[in-house]
Amino acid sequence: MYVCRYGKVFKSHLFGSPAIVSCDHELNMFILQNEERLFEASYPKAMHDILGKFSLLVISGDLHRKLRNFVVTFNTVSKSSPRFLNFAENLAITMLESWKGCKEIDFLKDIRKFTLSLMVKSVLSIEPEEPRALKILDDFRTYMKGFVSLPLNFPGSSYSKAVKARTRLASTMKGIINEREKEKVGLITGDFLDVILSKRGILTDGQIVSVALDILLGGYETTSILIALIVYFLGHVPKAFQTLKEEHDAIRKSKQAGEPLDMEDYRKMEFTKNVIYESMRCGNVVKFLHRKAIQDVKYKEYFIPSGWKVIPVLSGPHLDPSLHESPLKFNPWRWKNQETRKTVMPFGGGPRLCPGAELAKVEIAFFLHHLVLNYRWKVKEDDFPVAYPYVEFRRGLLLEVEPAQEEFRK
């Protein structure tokens, strides 16, 4: 609506500042690729308060590069670690087996528990059934409700509860760190916390806690929402579901019964990756970013004054009919065309490109493997994703499910 009225790039006043809003793909790329040269991250103070002062979203410069490197290392190692891959696959199987006998399931609730359990195990070596894991899950739910709410900080508000939940999460994390040091168990469990504690002289306790929470948050919320979007779109496009199922049938037939998936199998999942990309293009888990011009910027016919806020709207180019044929249509086959990859930024770009993108794709692909081989589902007619401003489902994505065959396939 705004693009039709004002064009792909227009002036506004947002978050208490004069702003340039860009729905133009080339300008968005220019903004993200010139991070720290011409632009810097500029999130509202309310987000600083809820994320913490060392969150990767809000810090810049050398500190951002240093902390981001730890996250990239964790994701790179985990992606190729049989320990992580086997746990992720077994956790998916356990969740799907729990649906036996169910005619209807609350998918978003289940998948959020799945993604957080996976992250808690990988980052902190806490089993999903432990009381601490359940406490962390409960606090994260409270945290996310406030994260997407209006920043009204009065007792009882969602925002106020979220700030307190973040404090509790940080306290829980510090308690786990103290236990590791007291019991001298560091560098034994081999999780992310071990790795980052080995850098104790480089990072402060606050930075260690913040990086760990960033990984938990990224692996929990954005991954679970993306999986929910994939399930939603597949439920409305039977041809895509069938093509996906055929790809995973072929992979399963090439393996022994019960043999776990590995990275060689993942490399065969071409259509699966296209489904993931297309779900991100259509669903737009992250719709826009916050940046600020740190000097006067001239780009083509546009002039951006120093100090002005800049909002690259990622969903704009993703749904642009001049870039994508039938942009509102879920069509994973469009990704066979290499040009599509040049006009979509599902994981952002520049120095702040999502550090967990590759790990998330592997995790999602392994989950989809077992889902499509074992279940068919229908989405409720009155259930659909809405921007809140982050993605939520009107009814929590309630699914009518039925087994694809009598015996569960592993």
Side-chain angles (χ1 to χ4, degrees):
M1 181 178 70
Y2 291 105
V3 171
C4 292
R5 180 178 296 180
Y6 303 115
K8 293 182 181 181
V9 181
F10 56 89
K11 293 188 292 185
S12 186
H13 198 280
L14 300 169
F15 306 100
S17 171
I20 298 293
V21 179
S22 170
C23 297
D24 181 82
H25 176 68
E26 291 185 358
L27 178 54
N28 288 353
M29 287 289 290
F30 176 78
I31 293 167
L32 298 184
Q33 289 172 353
N34 282 282
E35 173 90 20
E36 296 182 14
R37 290 191 293 269
L38 303 176
F39 305 93
E40 66 180 9
S42 179
Y43 286 85
K45 182 181 182 302
M47 291 188 70
H48 285 243
D49 293 341
I50 204 169
L51 288 168
K53 64 180 181 180
F54 294 120
S55 170
L56 287 173
L57 274 178
V58 300
I59 59 175
S60 299
D62 291 340
L63 181 58
H64 177 265
R65 283 188 286 275
K66 181 169 73 172
L67 298 188
R68 188 179 185 279
N69 283 340
F70 286 110
V71 179
V72 171
T73 299
F74 165 74
N75 286 304
T76 302
V77 171
S78 295
K79 188 185 73 169
S80 57
S81 164
R83 178 174 174 265
F84 175 86
L85 298 178
N86 291 343
F87 181 75
E89 184 176 7
N90 290 333
L91 192 63
I93 291 170
T94 299
M95 188 189 99
L96 294 171
E97 286 184 327
S98 74
W99 293 359
K100 286 182 179 178
C102 296
K103 293 185 177 180
E104 185 176 279
I105 56 104
D106 187 338
F107 184 80
L108 192 53
K109 180 180 178 181
D110 279 5
I111 201 63
R112 277 176 167 156
K113 185 176 180 180
F114 165 77
T115 54
L116 187 62
S117 296
L118 179 57
M119 287 297 100
V120 166
K121 172 68 174 179
S122 305
V123 176
L124 306 173
S125 291
I126 296 177
E127 297 296 333
E129 303 81 14
E130 287 186 41
R132 271 192 300 193
L134 299 176
K135 181 177 182 296
I136 290 172
L137 177 60
D138 187 55
D139 281 336
F140 255 102
R141 284 173 177 159
T142 303
Y143 177 74
M144 284 310 304
K145 285 180 182 177
F147 189 76
V148 300
S149 69
L150 291 173
L152 303 175
N153 197 3
F154 59 83
S157 69
S158 294
Y159 180 82
S160 174
K161 290 178 181 178
V163 172
K164 291 177 181 177
R166 203 270 180 194
T167 301
R168 290 194 299 272
L169 286 165
S171 178
T172 299
M173 204 73 63
K174 288 176 183 175
I176 295 170
I177 290 172
N178 290 338
E179 285 179 19
R180 293 273 179 104
E181 293 185 326
K182 184 177 179 180
E183 299 173 11
K184 304 297 183 183
V185 297
L187 302 178
I188 294 176
T189 55
D191 58 24
F192 176 73
L193 196 56
D194 278 350
V195 175
I196 204 167
L197 282 175
S198 70
K199 310 296 183 182
R200 193 66 180 274
I202 301 174
L203 302 178
T204 67
D205 283 356
Q207 291 168 351
I208 291 173
V209 168
S210 192
V211 170
L213 287 177
D214 276 350
I215 290 178
L216 290 175
L217 176 61
Y220 164 59
E221 184 63 15
T222 53
T223 305
S224 61
I225 288 295
L226 177 52
I227 296 174
L229 286 167
I230 292 168
V231 167
Y232 172 82
F233 289 127
L234 289 174
H236 286 85
V237 185
K239 183 181 177 183
F241 171 85
Q242 187 58 35
T243 303
L244 186 67
K245 187 175 185 298
E246 289 170 1
E247 179 172 86
H248 288 279
D249 261 325
I251 291 171
R252 181 45 54 192
K253 288 175 181 177
S254 71
K255 304 179 76 65
Q256 299 293 322
E259 184 182 353
L261 295 169
D262 54 33
M263 288 303 295
E264 187 59 36
D265 298 315
Y266 174 70
R267 282 186 274 273
K268 298 174 184 176
M269 299 180 186
E270 287 303 318
F271 189 74
T272 304
K273 294 167 193 169
N274 292 346
V275 166
I276 293 172
Y277 293 139
E278 181 69 353
S279 297
M280 295 194 75
R281 187 194 68 81
C282 292
N284 292 292
V285 177
V286 178
K287 289 179 169 48
F288 60 89
L289 303 170
H290 294 260
R291 297 292 185 266
K292 181 176 72 174
I294 54 178
Q295 65 183 62
D296 288 345
V297 178
K298 183 75 169 65
Y299 176 77
K300 293 185 176 179
E301 70 269 32
Y302 304 117
F303 176 74
I304 305 173
S306 177
W308 276 42
K309 201 163 185 62
V310 182
I311 309 291
V313 181
L314 305 183
S315 57
H318 292 176
L319 303 176
D320 186 342
S322 70
L323 297 176
H324 309 286
E325 183 180 351
S326 303
L328 299 182
K329 181 180 179 182
F330 180 77
N331 176 15
W333 292 272
R334 75 172 79 239
W335 289 85
K336 290 183 177 180
N337 184 347
Q338 291 299 315
E339 292 302 309
T340 299
R341 302 176 187 273
K342 299 176 182 179
T343 56
V344 178
M345 295 188 293
F347 295 103
R352 291 181 182 269
L353 180 72
C354 175
E358 288 302 316
L359 182 62
K361 286 190 288 184
V362 174
E363 176 187 336
I364 293 168
F366 280 26
F367 175 83
L368 289 175
H369 175 81
H370 292 284
L371 176 65
V372 299
L373 290 182
N374 288 288
Y375 286 98
R376 295 184 292 266
W377 63 89
K378 290 182 180 179
V379 179
K380 299 283 188 180
E381 288 186 4
D382 60 346
D383 202 1
F384 47 84
V386 293
Y388 187 60
Y390 298 93
V391 178
E392 277 289 349
F393 282 82
R394 187 173 178 271
R395 296 188 60 187
L397 195 53
L398 291 174
L399 300 179
E400 296 176 13
V401 297
E402 60 179 34
Q405 63 276 314
E406 289 185 8
E407 186 176 346
F408 194 92
R409 295 176 67 184
K410 298 182 182 180

